């Protein structure tokens, strides 16, 4: 089962953090991006225990602000998408730290764009890539 | 101020661009689906074509629902299971974006419904009744 509202909370966090980081500028903005990358990486390594997921469960669900919306489905594609996002944001923070602002923001904005597309249109690019990779693996095996 | 403008333009671009792409994709998909016509069933019975994929929990649940539907309606419809990762080109004809996807085909050969994602037994029963 996949909690759609947990995924949406995650996407809102990504969009908001990258937008705020951009407004703060490269020097100060790299830290929120690095922190977000770490939070997402924890969520990938230990599913359900990432800081955003914990905040969603203990801060939003337990107070009744948001109700879980569990739908049948595999969580693996979403974890893959999150791993992709964490990697891009990690690289983005690193590039910003090294002074390559344009490349750093480009990577950050790719993650923002994909999270926004998922939030507004419900299309998960990372999940789509995961399924395509599964298909390629299957074809290679056959 | 410049940063706010860039951010606003990015948000606007993604939203407007996304809507346009979705609109075009939906129209293309609707046209492609409308052109699909299957051979009419000899007995005039509806069919369900179920697309699944490997390592997919929801697909396993969908198969269970379909088995229960077969038990509840023996001989009143036929079922075809299809691995979307193997018969990829066949799946693409239906604009398949997710697995499981179930396609309900009327006895006349026309497509009655395409369900993206897990579909309940009740919904499938309604679609079979109206097919």
């Amino acid at each position: 089962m996949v909690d759609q509202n947990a995924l949406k909370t995650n996407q809102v966090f990504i969009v908001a953090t990258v937008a705020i980081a951009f407004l703060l500028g490269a020097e100060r903005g790299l830290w929120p991006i690095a922190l977000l990358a770490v939070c997402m990486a924890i969520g990938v390594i230990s599913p359900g225990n990432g800081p955003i997921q914990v905040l969603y469960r203990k801060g939003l669900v337990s107070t009744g602000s948001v109700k879980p919306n569990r739908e049948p489905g595999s969580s693996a594609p979403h974890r893959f998408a999150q791993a992709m996002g964490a990697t891009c944001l990690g690289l983005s923070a690193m590039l910003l730290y090294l002074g390559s602002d344009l490349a750093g923001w480009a990577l950050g904005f790719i993650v923002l764009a994909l999270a926004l597309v998922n939030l507004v249109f419900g299309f998960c690019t990372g999940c789509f890539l995961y399924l395509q990779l599964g298909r390629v693996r299957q074809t290679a095996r056959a | 101020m410049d940063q706010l403008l860039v951010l606003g333009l990015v948000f606007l671009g993604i939203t407007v661009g996304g809507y346009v792409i979705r609109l075009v994709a939906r129209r293309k998909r609707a046209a492609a689906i409308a052109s699909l016509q299957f051979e009419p069933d000899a007995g005039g019975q509806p069919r369900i074509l179920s697309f699944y994929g490997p390592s997919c929990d929801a697909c396993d649940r969908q198969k269970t629902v379909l088995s229960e539907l077969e038990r509840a309606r023996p001989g009143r419809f036929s079922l075809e299971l299809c691995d979307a990762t193997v018969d990829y080109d066949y799946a693409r004809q239906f604009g398949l974006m997710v697995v499981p996807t179930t396609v309900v085909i009327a006895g006349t050969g026309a497509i009655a419904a395409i369900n993206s994602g897990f579909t309940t037994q009740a919904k499938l029963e309604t679609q079979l009744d109206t097919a």
Side-chain angles (χ1 to χ4, degrees):
Chain A
M1 297 292 258
V2 178
D3 187 346
Q4 296 298 323
N5 285 342
L7 296 177
K8 283 197 190 308
T9 306
N10 200 38
Q11 288 145 18
V12 168
F13 257 92
I14 294 168
V15 171
T17 308
V18 177
I20 290 167
F22 182 68
L23 291 176
L24 287 173
E27 208 171 299
R28 283 184 293 169
L30 77 94
W31 299 112
I33 289 188
L35 188 68
L36 180 64
V38 171
C39 289
M40 286 170 72
I42 295 171
V44 174
I45 296 162
S46 176
N49 296 316
I52 302 172
Q53 291 147 322
V54 171
L55 195 73
Y56 165 74
R57 273 202 318 273
K58 299 202 169 161
L60 297 174
V61 175
S62 63
T63 56
S65 311
V66 178
K67 280 184 182 166
N69 174 22
R70 292 194 180 89
E71 286 181 7
S74 172
S75 60
H78 299 288
R79 275 209 306 279
F80 177 80
Q82 192 159 333
M84 261 179 56
T87 309
C88 284
L89 287 175
L91 281 171
S92 167
M94 205 183 290
L95 287 166
L96 289 173
Y97 184 75
L98 294 172
S100 306
D101 291 7
L102 190 68
W105 287 127
L107 273 176
F109 270 81
I110 287 172
V111 178
L112 179 145
L114 298 184
L116 192 62
V117 164
N118 200 349
L119 190 65
V120 179
F121 304 106
F123 180 75
C124 172
T125 314
C127 307
F128 179 75
L129 277 177
Y130 179 85
L131 293 173
Q132 294 300 313
L133 284 174
R135 187 177 72 81
V136 170
R137 269 206 311 265
Q138 196 84 7
T139 314
R141 235 181 272 159
Chain B
M1 198 63 191
D2 283 351
Q3 283 162 314
L4 259 180
L5 188 70
V6 169
L7 211 55
L9 285 173
V10 167
F11 275 64
L12 190 72
I14 291 166
T15 313
V16 173
Y19 271 114
V20 171
I21 291 168
R22 190 165 71 168
L23 193 72
V24 171
R26 276 186 179 173
R27 282 193 180 166
K28 268 188 166 179
R29 187 180 175 211
I33 289 166
S35 67
L36 284 175
Q37 177 72 30
F38 290 82
E39 284 291 310
D41 186 79
Q45 283 186 344
R47 277 170 281 175
I48 292 181
L49 180 56
S50 176
F51 290 101
Y52 64 93
S55 321
C56 164
D57 298 340
C59 300
D60 294 338
R61 286 196 197 93
Q62 189 69 72
K63 280 182 196 167
T64 309
V65 162
L66 290 167
S67 301
E68 278 169 17
L69 195 61
E70 272 189 316
R71 268 198 297 275
R73 297 176 169 227
R76 287 168 61 191
F77 76 97
S78 56
L79 176 64
E80 187 187 336
L81 296 173
C82 183
D83 187 337
T85 59
V86 175
D87 296 315
Y88 183 68
D89 292 331
Y90 186 41
R92 267 184 61 182
Q93 289 180 31
F94 298 91
L96 200 90
M97 291 295 282
V98 292
V99 281
T101 287
T102 46
V103 183
V104 179
I105 303 161
T108 57
I111 290 179
I114 295 182
N115 307 300
S116 293
F118 176 82
T119 311
T120 61
Q121 186 171 341
K123 190 174 178 181
L124 287 169
E125 281 179 342
T126 310
Q127 289 172 346
L128 282 173
D129 288 337
T130 53

